[in-house]
Structures are given as C-alpha cells and as structure tokens.
Amino acid sequence: MVAVAVIGAGIAGLTVTAELAALGHDIFLFDKSRSVGGRCATRRSAVGAFDHGAPGFSATTAAFRAQVAAWRHGGWVGAGSEGDALARHEAPQHSTPSPIYGVPSMNALARQLEAQLPARVTLHTDSQVTAIEPVSEGEGWQLRLSDGIACTARFDAIVVTVPAEQAALLLAPDAAQAEAMRHTRSDPCWTVMAAWARPRPAVLETSLSIDAQRVLLMARRDDVRQGRTHEAGIANRWVLHATPQWTVEHLDAPAETVTAELLRAFARLLGTALEAPLHAVAHRWRYAQVRAPRSEPFGWHPALRLGSCGDAWHAHGDPGSTSPDGIERAWLSGRALAQQMHQTLSPL
Ligand SMILES: Cc1cc2nc3c(=O)[nH]c(=O)nc-3n(C[C@H](O)[C@H](O)[C@H](O)COP(=O)(O)OP(=O)(O)OC[C@H]3O[C@@H](n4cnc5c(N)ncnc54)[C@H](O)[C@@H]3O)c2cc1C
C-alpha cells in the first residue's frame, strides 16, 4: 500500500484518486478551493445557479463513452443540445460540440465523483499547495501549503493535476515535466452570468447569428437543461463566454466594463435592445481551455515518483476519432496515469 498526495480535485484529480484508491492505495487529495470540481464549475446566486465554467463535454473515445453511459444510467449527466447555445463562433481549437452536461448542474458531476470515493481517500479542501519538497534522499515527499506550514505527512508519490501554467511551478523537482507544462498554454475566458425577469424574444433555437465584432464565443441559455431550478421572478439565465482573443485584449479590464461589453455584444447578437438584467456578474478564467495539449497521456517520473495529469495531456483519442476535448482529456489522462503508477509503485 502506497500513500499518494494528489494536488487538485477537478475531473483529473478525482479520476486518478478514484482509480488509485480502487487499486488499494491511500490517497490524500488537496484542493485550494472550498469544494471539488475545478473548471467543471457552478456558481450559486440569488437568481439561481450558473454553469459558468465548462458548459458541457463530448465523448469521442470508446472508454469515455462507456464511462458517460454509466454516469447517464446513474442520472448524473444528461445529453442533447436542446437549442440552448444561441451562437458559438468558429474557433478551431474549441469547436467540438459539447452535448453532455452534469445533472442538476455541471459541478454536481464532480460532487458525485467525490461522493463515490472510498474511505481510504482523505480530502483536504481550502488547502493550496505551494511547493513539493523531498523529505530526504529517497524518503518520499512532503507538501508546503499556502499558510507556509509544511504538511507533516510523508507521501510515497505525488500527482499534480492543476492547470499547466500552475503545474509548471509545482513540478520543479522534475525539470522535464516542469518544462513540458511551461510550454503548454491555456486560453483565458471572461464569462458573464446574467438573468432577466422577462423572457427574451423567441431566439432560443440554435441560431446562425454571429457576433461580427468577435466578442462572444458563445451565448448559452443556462436554465433549460434537465434538473435546472427556476427561481420566482426570473424568466431566464444566460452565460456569455468571450472569445479568447477578446479576453486577452481585456484581461485586466474591470469586471463592470467586461459585463457591459458582453451584454452589448449579446444585444447585437439578438438584434434587439436589451433591458437591464436583474443580475449580471463577470468571472475571469485565467486558464480556461488548453490551446495545444501534449500528445503524451500524462507525465510520470518513476524514480522520483512524481506525476502529472489533466487536460494539458492526452491530445490523441481513438484512431479515426476526433481529438478529445478538455473534460474527456482530464478523465483519460487521470485514468491512464493511475494505471501506470499502479504498475510501478511499491511502498518506500
Ligand atoms: C469557460 C470554459 C469553457 C470550457 N468549455 C469546455 C467544453 O466545451 N468542453 C470541454 O470538454 N471542456 C471545456 N472546458 C475545459 C474543462 O473545464 C477542463 O478541461 C477540465 O475541467 C479540466 O479538468 P482538470 O481536472 O484537468 O483541471 P481543473 O478542473 O482546473 O482542476 C484543477 C484543480 O486544482 C485546484 N488547484 C489549482 N492550483 C492548486 C494548488 N496550488 N493547490 C491545490 N489545488 C489547486 C483547482 O482549485 C482545481 O479544482 C471549459 C473550461 C472553461 C473555464
């Protein structure tokens, strides 16, 4: 039995944790946030919940399709476009349709995965890891947390599942993995969550309208999918995602400016003036989607017992199928790393 620390409890972290625990290892899962899910995110508010991170996902490989079928059987995911995406720009790196979604929210899928973790998994939320440090030669690892305190536990192996740009720093003990992550870039995404009291005009079918200014990547009605709640006095909720290019150009703009610009772009898309929303909040995803994932399925240094997985890895799917998108890559990568680790790990 081996003690493994997994850093990051998004889809990749939850997957590698579940697989390793099922193989008999003790897992200590750390996440800097209050709860699990990472970019598979849902923001709760007085006007209802918004899936403001990944709006959904696709399943291109046989392995992930089988997993999704099991999740669907359990009622954890639904599928179908249901006309909720008003417009999605042609953006080659993000053009895969994402018809599968969490029920009753995107984050609920991650919470279901968390709920299934066996007792041998210990979850530490609100725990930001700032460094991975050797205990002493060949004696395993310890973690340093953001409060400056070293976590006194000794781990036989470490897995890093945080976004590539942040993983590059944590993976410093292995120059090759750190370098691989340093060269992986993610696009940022400004996102606006907005709600109106009165229904929008009848524009809910997938529309061919394109925002000529290239501000919006996607405008998506968020309250029409299976399991979504309906708050009294709220007719509809929308999530607006800016294009990567617009986000880069406005990365440090104030949130109020971004909200106003995205709402203006939404009105242009609808071809109508918009009344003021009852609720409009912007969120900046600094690392939303990986631009060019690595072709390897994961990173793993068997002598150091230091690995990494997540959406920065596993660019290739099954032969002849389209490339997997972010959530599928995170799952495939987490699963593949767990299998590799199990073959090579024995207690120190
Ligand atoms: C706006 C948007 C749209 C998207 N659209 C799609 C789509 O259509 N289809 C699709 O498949 N994917 C999409 N994605 C991408 C998808 O969400 C990600 O690829 C996937 O969720 C990545 O999972 P992960 O586990 O690799 O990383 P994450 O979900 O980022 O998980 C990493 C976790 O690590 C934690 N963490 C970070 N640093 C530390 C630290 N130092 N210490 C401890 N914990 C830490 C974070 O809190 C997080 O929980 C989208 C994402 C966004 C934001």
Side-chain angles (χ1 to χ4, degrees), residues 245-323:
Q245 190 190 332
W246 191 91
T247 302
V248 167
E249 288 163 5
H250 299 79
L251 199 60
D252 295 315
E256 310 77 62
T257 310
V258 170
T259 303
E261 288 286 331
L262 263 61
L263 287 173
R264 257 197 294 279
F266 186 40
R268 277 199 303 274
L269 195 64
L270 296 175
T272 173
L274 271 184
E275 64 199 62
L278 288 179
H279 172 99
V281 171
H283 177 86
R284 183 181 64 184
W285 293 100
R286 196 173 271 282
Y287 310 112
Q289 301 205 62
V290 177
R291 210 176 296 157
R294 310 266 320 164
S295 53
E296 308 94 310
F298 51 76
W300 176 238
H301 191 303
L304 291 176
R305 296 166 162 230
L306 179 59
S308 47
C309 62
D311 65 345
W313 301 89
H314 221 302
H316 302 306
D318 290 349
S321 72
T322 54
S323 303

Side-chain angles (χ1 to χ4, degrees), residues 7-13 30-33 37-40 52-57 88 98 127-129 161-163 166 170 189 191 241 285 288-289 310-311 325-327 330:
I7 307 170
I11 296 298
F30 293 82
D31 200 289
K32 68 178 181 183
S33 300
R39 283 168 277 166
C40 211
H52 66 307
F57 54 98
R88 183 192 259 271
S98 305
S127 300
Q128 180 169 8
V129 177
T161 77
V162 310
Q166 297 164 325
L170 290 177
C189 180
T191 297
H241 291 304
W285 293 100
Q289 301 205 62
D311 65 345
D325 207 350
I327 287 183

Side-chain angles (χ1 to χ4, degrees), residues 28 98 111 119 175 333 345:
F28 300 82
S98 305
R111 286 173 180 269
S333 173
L345 281 181

Side-chain angles (χ1 to χ4, degrees), residues 50-56 84-87 106 218-223 225 228 237-241 266:
F50 294 89
D51 289 334
H52 66 307
D84 61 356
L86 178 61
M106 283 299 289
M218 186 196 289
R220 189 174 57 77
R221 191 164 163 193
D222 203 42
D223 56 347
R225 289 170 161 178
R228 270 48 181 176
R237 297 191 295 270
W238 287 81
V239 176
L240 314 175
H241 291 304
F266 186 40

